[in-house]
Amino acid sequence: MTLTVSLVAITPASFRDTAEALGLAMGHSGQEFAIPLTTGSGVTHYGLHAWITPEAAEIWSGQAYPTGTDYTPEQIDAVRSQLIISLRDEAPVPLEHWGEVLGANGLQSPEAE
Amino acid sequence: MSGPPVVIVPSLGRPVVNVPRANGGVPMTVVSSLGEPVTLTTGLGEPVTLLNESGSLYAAPWTVSGLASWYDPSDLTSLYQSRTGGSNVSADGQSVGIMLDKSQMGGRTASAFVAGQTELVTNGSFATDTAWTKGTGWTISGGQAVATAIINDSAQRLYQAISTVAGTLYRITYTIAGFSGNGMSLFTGAADPPLTAGVFVNANGTYTEMFTAVGSTTFVGFGARGSGTTTFIIDNVSVKALPGYHAIAPSDAARPLYKTSGGKHWLQPDGIDDWMQVSPVLNLGETWWHVGGWLCSTSGRAAFATTEVSRGALSMGSSATLYRWADAAGNSQPISNSATLSAAHVGTVQQTSTSLIFARINGVSGPSITPFDDSASVQGLALFTGINTAWANGLSGRSYPGVYGTGTLSDSDRASLEAYFAEQAGVVL
């Protein structure tokens, strides 16, 4: 299994439980969006970074759908539409990828407020 | 010490340095104090212990008094890609969900150690129709167990009780054939029948999973998952104990990468959310030590935490004072001398009492300080984070093999460990 794609995914804090529920149904931990983020006051978002396969990247980008869950493609699309998703290959530096996505969306860590 | 054979190398002087992990058939280069390499090739399939000409033991990690945990990314059989088990890491760039502690494995590879562990399942080959409790829809015959059109119901499980130690990690393997339907999985737990589902399986194959025992008896079994009916054959069930303090990623996103280059092996946390909890809780107490290889790519990041508060964590700071620890007042203070931040190095940290902690970089001691009193905090080792309950300002860089221990680390053992891990990090002391 080759993990060549850098994934940054961010969910609004109010949507976190819904996003984690889909992840749980796909076999993840239910605690994937672990990093608190803010647009300026309090925790407004939660984010994650992961290395994933090109096949998983197709799911995150909406070109494919996971199997083995009771979620319909429409339900998965509805969850995905609420997330900030950034995928990069060609050996990105994770911290740079993360920082650029946060910057582009006006997000920072709460300690940096 | 017991188990591994001893090879006496009379031509070596003292001290002996650069002794790579020695496995069967793998050449290892041993460099004496004279700087002349000696190449040994063992065909033993087991590690060797080196004695110098005077009979003094070269202290390999597994022989050091007080050793609590030993993490060895160079042994791929100790690394699992998933946080629930699955396949071993086999190539550069794969995620690491579990890194086994090898401190109790006697210097063997993890796979060799597991092979020698007692089989805990009775009649895992289903040679007879015994030992297993069969729920509705299950039969045992012809050397296999068959589930026919079972549904996800605790009354339709195949299971047995095994003796376990609470908090200990166990590895289970099983083979699925003839699969059709929705899904199946392992079920474990203290309940009879077991209720905690493992990985969702919907294809034939041989599977490896881990579970942590919660008591002296654990029920282990199999059943259907999801909706609808499922039919499958199960065979070759095996459960082995994995004693030790293992490093486990708390989520999929938290898994660091395994990397290798030039014969060196390391874990590479991303500095964003990668970290590993040590389970069961490893309380190092107030007298402890660590020796291991590191490379820090970003200043001010935590290599490991010993408590729930950041003042109980090793911070890798600026290039002028690489290692920092909180002093009695809670202020971050240097405990090592100058080193290059982004270079591989061997770091040693020793807290020798409640009033003294210091570090060594590549064998050179730094200033000692009185550490912050974190004894009232929740204790427990965690890797690549500043606190032991979550990711907090964790390492972006490399974690080469290393050890953690309790009590006093003798000067000679420390020298041996620093030499051992220097070789594994590609550092010349």
Side-chain angles (χ1 to χ4, degrees), chain B residues 255-316:
Chain B
R255 293 175 297 168
L257 292 182
Y258 161 75
K259 300 292 288 182
T260 181
S261 179
K264 308 308 175 193
H265 309 263
W266 65 91
L267 297 196
Q268 187 163 294
D270 62 11
I272 299 167
D273 58 358
D274 289 355
W275 70 290
M276 304 185 91
Q277 284 178 313
V278 172
S279 177
V281 172
L282 175 51
N283 180 358
L284 293 173
E286 300 306 313
T287 305
W288 59 271
W289 46 268
H290 160 71
V291 183
W294 296 93
L295 184 153
C296 182
S297 300
T298 303
S299 180
R301 298 306 189 100
F304 61 85
T306 62
T307 73
E308 63 175 335
V309 296
S310 60
R311 290 163 176 168
L314 177 67
S315 174
M316 293 185 173

Side-chain angles (χ1 to χ4, degrees), chain A residues 1 3 27-29 31-32 35 48-51 68 94-95 98, chain B residues 81 83 93-95 251-253 257 270-273 298 391 396:
Chain A
M1 195 161 58
L3 306 172
H28 299 296
S29 67
Q31 304 171 62
E32 301 294 335
I35 306 303
L48 67 82
H49 173 268
W51 290 100
L95 273 173
W98 175 255
Chain B
Q81 295 183 44
R83 59 189 165 76
Q94 293 178 336
S95 291
S251 70
D252 291 329
L257 292 182
D270 62 11
I272 299 167
D273 58 358
T298 303
W391 182 89
S396 167

Side-chain angles (χ1 to χ4, degrees), chain B residues 2-4 23 45-47 62 70 75 102 105-113:
Chain B
S2 64
N23 288 316
E46 293 189 353
W62 59 91
W70 172 27
D75 176 6
K102 294 180 60 178
M105 296 185 182
R108 294 169 172 82
T109 63
S111 60
F113 173 79

Side-chain angles (χ1 to χ4, degrees), chain A residues 23-111:
Chain A
L24 200 58
M26 294 170 62
H28 299 296
S29 67
Q31 304 171 62
E32 301 294 335
F33 293 92
I35 306 303
L37 300 167
T38 183
T39 54
S41 179
V43 175
T44 59
H45 293 72
Y46 287 90
L48 67 82
H49 173 268
W51 290 100
I52 61 175
T53 63
E55 292 76 20
E58 290 186 359
I59 293 174
W60 280 95
S61 62
Q63 300 171 56
Y65 293 93
T67 59
T69 80
D70 292 331
Y71 280 74
T72 65
E74 291 75 20
Q75 289 172 316
I76 292 171
D77 285 340
V79 172
R80 191 163 36 210
S81 69
Q82 297 296 312
L83 307 180
I84 298 167
I85 297 171
S86 175
L87 298 160
R88 293 185 186 178
D89 52 16
E90 298 181 350
V93 176
L95 273 173
E96 291 178 2
H97 185 189
W98 175 255
E100 288 168 11
V101 173
L102 263 55
N105 290 279
L107 292 162
Q108 59 184 341
S109 66
E111 309 91 77

